[in-house]
Amino acid sequence: MKTVSLVMSATTISELNIAEVVARIYNLNSGLEAFWSKNDGWAPEEAAKLLGAVRLDWQTSLSQCLYLWITPKALSLSDGELILAWTNLGSLIEGSIKLLLSVYLKDYLGDFEGAKNSGSLTNTGVPKSPDILSLQQLKIYCQKKKLLGEDGDTLVQLVQERRNAVHAFKHTDLGDLDEYHASVRGYLRLLRSINNRLPYPDDIYVPREI
């Protein structure tokens, strides 16, 4: 399969205000949903079946929800709001990684050693479908396979730790709004990288962020 290079603005992510970052995330996930939920036979049959069944529309909706957490720096989020913000971002990261593995489903399902190392084998000894993997399993698999790069691995680890506060009763570190915004920028970098590795039949189908 031919991978078409993603066309991006020359503007670096650090130069964008946080609302522009969220807008680009939304545009990319909206474009990914539009193509991969109805890929017209471009993906292999098994991958196409999986991609047609998963909720890529929720990725788009969750991207829209990021606007809820980008209050002006002078206004701080409550602890509850910050927990929900991290949960929102963690769900998006999880979904984006699952999309990558789903597009390359044949390669993933053939990687028994990788699935074993990440604890994602079924009781019958075959890799679990990527759509049911936990973020922990996805994180370990990606680390072992070096799929996301050092920055991507660091982002996944941080967001996982922060979003786990939603399950906690005792104190856990939530970070702050600046760290959250930096992680949203990190997600845009990760999303760009994932999109740039997906195969498209022609450049006109490649999701754009602007």
Side-chain angles (χ1 to χ4, degrees), residues 44-56:
E45 182 177 356
E46 193 170 3
K49 183 178 179 180
L50 175 59
L51 289 164
V54 297
R55 298 303 301 266
L56 292 178

Side-chain angles (χ1 to χ4, degrees), residues 12-168:
T12 64
I13 293 175
S14 61
E15 295 175 309
L16 301 171
N17 66 51
I18 192 64
E20 290 173 320
V21 171
V22 171
R24 289 172 182 240
I25 288 171
Y26 175 83
N27 289 339
L28 282 175
N29 275 324
S30 179
L32 288 164
E33 176 202 345
F35 182 82
W36 289 107
S37 62
K38 300 175 183 178
N39 53 77
D40 295 323
W42 173 243
E45 182 177 356
E46 193 170 3
K49 183 178 179 180
L50 175 59
L51 289 164
V54 297
R55 298 303 301 266
L56 292 178
D57 58 320
W58 286 357
Q59 285 289 102
T60 304
S61 184
L62 285 166
S63 299
Q64 184 76 28
C65 288
L66 291 176
Y67 284 109
L68 297 171
W69 321 118
I70 56 171
T71 57
K73 291 183 66 175
L75 301 175
S76 61
L77 296 178
S78 69
D79 286 351
E81 289 169 329
L82 190 54
I83 289 171
L84 293 175
W86 285 116
T87 303
N88 189 169
L89 184 57
S91 295
L92 282 166
I93 290 172
E94 184 175 314
S96 295
I97 297 171
K98 287 180 177 181
L99 173 60
L100 176 64
L101 298 184
S102 296
V103 171
Y104 291 103
L105 185 63
K106 183 177 180 180
D107 293 334
Y108 165 76
L109 292 177
D111 185 11
F112 295 96
E113 191 64 26
K116 179 180 179 181
N117 290 336
S118 59
S120 54
L121 284 178
T122 66
N123 292 334
T124 57
V126 297
K128 295 178 181 177
S129 179
D131 60 315
I132 63 171
L133 297 183
S134 68
L135 184 57
Q136 176 70 7
Q137 290 169 325
L138 292 167
K139 179 186 73 173
I140 295 173
Y141 184 83
C142 289
Q143 287 175 341
K144 297 289 187 182
K145 306 302 292 186
K146 302 185 185 303
L147 291 180
L148 307 180
E150 185 175 345
D151 288 345
D153 289 341
T154 299
L155 175 68
V156 173
Q157 179 67 39
L158 174 65
V159 175
Q160 181 190 32
E161 291 172 358
R162 297 291 185 256
R163 86 160 193 178
N164 280 350
V166 76
H167 305 296

